[in-house]
Amino acid sequence: MYVCSCFGITEQQVRQHADAGACTPRQIASACKAGTDCGSCVRRIQGILGRGSCPRRERVDQGLPALTAEAQPADAVAEAA
């Protein structure tokens, strides 16, 4: 089923991005543009994300940094160096 009609993003694609570490609608938008045009799908994306675990949130709950070097975008790692 489509979540974002503007960009043709399915619920399965949102779940795949969430499994890859996206924990917020903004992170989903960065991964696939869903929610960046008309915005009508943002609540649906929030609902999908609210049902699963979030690896980043779990790391923060454990007192660890939210992003590891492997999970950070290449440009963020380069800026940190």
Side-chain angles (χ1 to χ4, degrees), residues 63-80:
L64 301 170
L67 293 176
T68 62
E70 298 84 35
Q72 291 180 355
D75 56 345
V77 173
E79 288 177 12

Side-chain angles (χ1 to χ4, degrees), residues 9-71:
I9 305 300
T10 64
E11 186 173 327
Q12 180 181 3
Q13 288 171 300
V14 171
R15 291 184 193 282
Q16 288 171 343
H17 290 300
D19 290 344
C23 300
T24 66
R26 185 170 289 185
Q27 291 167 346
I28 295 293
S30 293
C32 65
K33 294 187 178 182
T36 61
D37 195 25
C38 77
S40 67
C41 61
V42 174
R43 287 187 186 230
R44 177 78 175 126
I45 292 169
Q46 287 173 324
I48 293 168
L49 295 174
R51 294 187 191 136
S53 65
C54 177
R56 290 181 185 169
R57 192 175 308 120
E58 291 168 4
R59 290 183 58 79
V60 170
D61 289 345
Q62 296 170 3
L64 301 170
L67 293 176
T68 62
E70 298 84 35

